[in-house]
């Protein structure tokens, strides 16, 4: 996986979380690989998950199948970023 491409995906994931969840720039910028997401961020409920995934599809030009969505991919910022990068960068 190219580091440059991964960094771009990471920036996109951060921006999607900020925009869809209404997080401040500072809060989103503080996300690290091990920052917990689903179950830890009150803004990220099941309805918001759909919005986040749809926006990731749009911004990264990927398709996320329903059977790919699980608690593990939403467990942390790093897990979601790796999932998105795998889809976007192949």
């Amino acid at each position: 996986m190219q580091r440059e491409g991964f960094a771009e995906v990471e920036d996109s994931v951060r921006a999607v979380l900020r925009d869809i969840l209404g997080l401040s720039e500072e809060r989103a910028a503080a996300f690290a690989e091990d920052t917990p997401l689903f179950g830890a961020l009150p803004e990220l409920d099941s309805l918001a998950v759909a919005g986040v995934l749809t926006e990731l599809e749009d911004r990264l030009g990927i398709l996320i199948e329903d059977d790919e969505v699980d608690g593990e991919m939403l467990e942390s910022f790093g897990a979601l970023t790796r999932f998105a990068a795998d889809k976007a960068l192949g």
Side-chain angles (χ1 to χ4, degrees), residues 4 7 11 14-15 24-25 31 33-35 37 41-42 46 52 55 65 70-73 77 83 85 89-90:
E4 182 178 309
D11 289 345
R14 192 179 307 277
S24 69
E25 188 79 39
F31 285 168
E33 183 171 327
D34 62 349
T35 299
L37 295 180
L41 281 180
S46 55
V52 166
E55 191 65 20
E65 301 290 346
D70 59 25
E72 199 172 290
M73 88 184 258
F77 177 70
F83 172 83
L89 304 174

Side-chain angles (χ1 to χ4, degrees), residues 13-24 26-49 52 71 73-78 80:
V13 171
R14 192 179 307 277
V16 165
L17 290 171
R18 183 191 66 228
D19 296 347
I20 299 298
L21 304 181
L23 304 177
S24 69
E26 297 77 20
R27 190 166 170 208
F31 285 168
E33 183 171 327
D34 62 349
T35 299
L37 295 180
F38 195 70
L41 281 180
E43 298 89 348
L44 187 60
D45 58 18
S46 55
L47 187 59
V49 166
V52 166
M73 88 184 258
L74 296 164
E75 187 174 3
S76 68
F77 177 70
L80 182 57

Side-chain angles (χ1 to χ4, degrees), residues 55-72:
E55 191 65 20
L56 282 174
E57 287 180 324
D58 291 348
R59 292 192 193 189
L60 297 174
I62 61 175
L63 179 62
I64 301 171
E65 301 290 346
D66 289 344
D67 63 354
E68 295 176 306
V69 179
D70 59 25
E72 199 172 290

